[in-house]
Amino acid sequence: MFKSVRARLLAYLCITLLTLVCGTGAGVNLTGGTSGTGGTSGTDVVKSAGSPTGFLPIGTTQTTLSLTTGTNARCKYSTTAGASYSSMAGIFSTTGGTAQSTAITGLTNGTSYKYYVKCMDVSTGVADANDYTISFGVLGQGTAYYVDSVKGSDTNSGSITSPFQHIDVGVTKMAPGDTLYVRNGTYTALSANNNGYGGIPILKGNDGASGAFKTIKAYPGETPIMASTIKIYANYWRVEGLTFSDSYVNARAYGTWESMGIPAGNTAPMGHETPGIWPHDIQIVGNTFTGKLPYADAAIHTYVNNLLVENNDITQVYASQQGLGVGIYISAGDNLVIRGNKVAGPAEYSIQVYDEKRTTEVYTRWLTNVIVEKNISYSKPGGYVDANGVAYIPRGNIISAGNQTKGQNAIIRDNLIFGVGYAGMIVGNNWDTVKMYNNTIFQPNGAVPCLQVRALNQPASTNVTVENNIFDLGTNTAAFHVDTQNLSFTLKNNLYWPSPVQIVGGTTTESNPVIGDPVFVNASTDPSVADFHLKDKTSAAFDRGLALTTDVPADFEGAARPQYNAYDIGAYEYQ
């Protein structure tokens, strides 16, 4: 089983994610095995009594991870779903019999943990194919509230034994630092209109605080389904671990621009730091999205300062308006981090950092200080079909600025893009300073480029630098590596395959091109087998990269660069 882009993604995220357990993992495919507490199949060792479960008391820093096996077995664990048994670094200290246990340390308040266990039958030597998941959490310093769509009531106290029924009610009871845990069930808004807001609104003024976010998150080990959109108009909120079906998360200001402090005819300040313009300090982490989106929207759509969109899984989302529907749509704000997300099969762009004026206001909207890193964007072979029977192939990623919108300072690094339509990456209008470093783009289908730099009826972006990327067309002879659209920008030390280099559309040329086979473990658009690690040192990308020590200190998986004598080109360092 191969080293999955998804498993490696999650391993990196564990280093940086604020409230998830840290760890490493390797050796699985993108889809992984069937997981779930108690879930085994085929020749898997029978497992039961996984512990701990639920919540441990505030202040708990260590616990014992344990389970019982139906036969003598040797068990290992990982914090990455789908890791193969052989690659798991965590080994149970008591193992070999039927009682399995090991000490887990470094636990912190307000954190949820998932450990994925696989065992090998001692008598047969056969290891499990599927995960056995042990989920638990440590209570935080704030108050824990609970909501249960099946057993709850909105007149309850919100305790674990007396939960609310609707999230709408629970969010109004919370103080800074509190967490609302969402139990299994399907969740809709208290009312369809909700006083004109629609969805489940978190209203302006219902703020958390610095270091004390208000958090809505799935109860450990459970999978609540969100059938209504969450709309955030307040500050210091975190949405974590929920499953959105035909719904999405939206964070933005509410009301007219005049009511938010921008008089008619004025220009909003760069970055929108004036109080009351955009919500700030919003985190959307570890959620799952799928299905039909209301209107022509996105799974995640924000106008926010100080934003973290991390470790979300977005699969086949499309809008009620045919041909539209974006995975992650960032429209405005300052200090924006889009990291470690998997976006597969949106009807339009996978990650879109872009907006344009659509109303009569005359302000200029800004997008500033943006990091897009360690994300996966792809289409399955043949594309997708929406609920209306319409076939489509999703596009790649775009960073641009339309009418009366400007962008400044973006870095696009360590991303993996494969098999998408139109273009793997588009750098569009009205940006100043865009760095595109160490990405891997594989485009073997259709007459589409790996990279397009363009300007459509707007000023061209300036100070665009493209270095250390892999542009691989596979066996595709109808496509080209880079479409310059008659624009001038810096192309330097990128790897092109196959030969000859196909740079079209203008006079921009590559400085120091690296031409050769990157020798991936398995270059494929099938996500179940695709593996874009460098197979060995014969890769043309090995030790051929520029030393971008400030901007790209680590690779897609968090491994330090370089691993050998020099940087590798592309998203992965060979290890």
Side-chain angles (χ1 to χ4, degrees):
M1 191 175 289
F2 83 112
K3 295 181 179 178
S4 149
V5 289
R6 182 176 182 186
R8 291 294 194 174
L9 161 69
L10 294 175
Y12 167 78
L13 291 173
C14 292
I15 298 171
T16 56
L17 196 57
L18 297 177
T19 62
L20 292 178
V21 64
C22 292
T24 59
V28 300
N29 61 34
L30 185 64
T31 55
T34 302
S35 65
T37 301
T40 59
S41 65
T43 59
D44 285 2
V45 173
V46 175
K47 307 173 200 67
S48 62
S51 179
T53 60
F55 288 99
L56 304 177
I58 291 174
T60 299
T61 60
Q62 62 181 28
T63 189
T64 299
L65 197 71
S66 65
L67 69 150
T68 300
T69 54
T71 186
N72 291 342
R74 299 189 183 279
C75 297
K76 297 182 179 182
Y77 64 90
S78 173
T79 55
T80 299
S84 67
Y85 176 83
S86 62
S87 71
M88 286 182 165
I91 301 174
F92 279 74
S93 57
T94 299
T95 192
T98 59
Q100 317 289 334
S101 65
T102 195
I104 300 295
T105 61
L107 306 181
T108 58
N109 293 335
T111 306
S112 296
Y113 297 92
K114 284 187 177 181
Y115 288 87
Y116 302 95
V117 178
K118 283 187 170 75
C119 302
M120 182 183 70
D121 190 315
V122 171
S123 64
T124 66
V126 176
D128 293 341
N130 303 302
D131 291 330
Y132 178 85
T133 307
I134 299 176
S135 302
F136 63 94
V138 180
L139 288 172
Q141 294 289 350
T143 300
Y145 291 101
Y146 302 85
V147 59
D148 190 319
S149 65
V150 178
K151 301 176 182 178
S153 169
D154 291 333
T155 60
N156 284 347
S157 65
S159 69
I160 192 168
T161 58
S162 183
F164 301 122
Q165 184 179 25
H166 288 92
I167 294 173
D168 318 46
V169 174
V171 297
T172 66
K173 308 296 184 182
M174 298 167 67
D178 290 350
T179 298
L180 180 65
Y181 289 99
V182 186
R183 304 301 303 266
N184 274 337
T186 299
Y187 290 84
T188 58
L190 187 60
S191 66
N193 186 42
N194 258 341
N195 296 318
Y197 290 94
I200 298 171
I202 300 171
L203 300 182
K204 182 178 178 181
N206 186 7
D207 299 333
S210 178
F213 278 66
K214 293 183 178 181
T215 300
I216 305 170
K217 68 190 300 184
Y219 186 89
E222 298 188 359
T223 308
I225 305 299
M226 299 299 304
S228 287
T229 292
I230 293 180
K231 297 187 175 182
I232 304 171
Y233 305 107
N235 308 315
Y236 296 108
W237 277 87
R238 181 180 177 93
V239 178
E240 180 182 344
L242 303 177
T243 297
F244 289 80
S245 178
D246 299 339
S247 59
Y248 61 103
V249 175
N250 186 294
R252 63 183 301 167
Y254 184 80
T256 65
W257 298 113
E258 289 81 359
S259 72
M260 292 182 286
I262 305 178
N266 283 11
T267 298
M270 178 176 172
H272 303 290
E273 285 114 359
T274 298
I277 306 304
W278 305 124
H280 61 81
D281 293 277
I282 303 298
Q283 299 177 353
I284 304 168
V285 175
N287 303 283
T288 299
F289 298 83
T290 189
K292 187 175 183 178
L293 303 171
Y295 316 113
D297 219 302
I300 299 171
H301 193 179
T302 69
Y303 302 70
V304 166
N305 293 329
N306 303 331
L307 171 70
L308 176 66
V309 177
E310 188 169 39
N311 196 24
N312 298 282
D313 189 323
I314 302 170
T315 303
Q316 196 176 359
V317 293
Y318 51 92
S320 54
Q321 184 174 343
Q322 182 176 323
L324 299 177
V326 174
I328 299 170
Y329 193 167
I330 310 299
S331 286
D334 177 59
N335 189 25
L336 311 171
V337 179
I338 303 98
R339 175 190 295 138
N341 304 281
K342 179 176 76 70
V343 187
E348 201 174 11
Y349 290 105
S350 297
I351 298 174
Q352 179 168 298
V353 183
Y354 170 85
D355 208 7
E356 64 185 64
K357 177 185 174 184
R358 296 182 178 87
T359 61
T360 59
E361 284 81 10
V362 297
Y363 68 91
T364 297
R365 183 174 292 168
W366 283 88
L367 286 152
T368 53
N369 301 316
V370 179
I371 298 173
V372 181
E373 63 178 0
K374 307 181 194 307
N375 302 284
I376 305 169
S377 303
Y378 69 89
S379 170
K380 69 178 182 181
Y384 300 82
V385 178
D386 67 21
N388 301 314
V390 178
Y392 66 90
I393 296 177
R395 302 179 183 182
N397 301 339
I398 182 171
I399 183 165
S400 186
N403 184 26
Q404 281 196 233
T405 305
K406 294 183 178 180
Q408 187 173 71
N409 297 331
I411 185 163
I412 305 161
R413 62 190 176 197
D414 290 332
N415 298 283
L416 175 60
I417 304 168
F418 61 95
V420 297
Y422 196 70
M425 183 70 209
I426 297 172
V427 178
N429 319 310
N430 259 349
W431 272 81
D432 177 50
T433 308
V434 177
K435 300 175 181 179
M436 182 178 168
Y437 296 157
N438 282 96
N439 302 279
T440 295
I441 303 179
F442 179 61
Q443 288 286 76
N445 303 315
V448 294
C450 293
L451 168 67
Q452 183 184 79
V453 179
R454 73 186 191 192
L456 300 179
N457 303 315
Q458 296 291 322
S461 293
T462 56
N463 299 312
V464 176
T465 306
V466 181
E467 299 178 354
N468 277 10
N469 303 280
I470 294 176
F471 299 134
D472 188 345
L473 299 176
T475 58
N476 188 359
T477 59
F480 32 90
H481 295 102
V482 179
D483 181 6
T484 69
Q485 296 276 300
N486 292 309
L487 301 177
S488 179
F489 58 98
T490 300
L491 275 170
K492 187 176 182 181
N493 210 77
N494 300 286
L495 185 150
Y496 299 85
W497 184 249
S499 180
V501 176
Q502 299 287 331
I503 300 175
V504 302
T507 59
T508 294
T509 58
E510 165 74 40
S511 173
N512 190 37
V514 176
I515 304 171
D517 189 345
V519 190
F520 296 126
V521 172
N522 189 15
S524 173
T525 58
D526 182 348
S528 68
V529 298
D531 186 350
F532 293 94
H533 290 83
L534 307 184
K535 185 176 181 180
D536 52 42
K537 294 181 182 180
T538 66
S539 168
F542 176 72
D543 272 5
R544 299 290 296 276
L546 301 174
L548 305 175
T549 54
T550 300
D551 289 317
V552 195
D555 77 349
F556 182 93
E557 299 165 333
R561 293 184 188 268
Q563 287 288 303
Y564 288 88
N565 296 320
Y567 271 46
D568 294 343
I569 299 174
Y572 294 102
E573 282 285 306
Y574 176 73
Q575 299 181 62

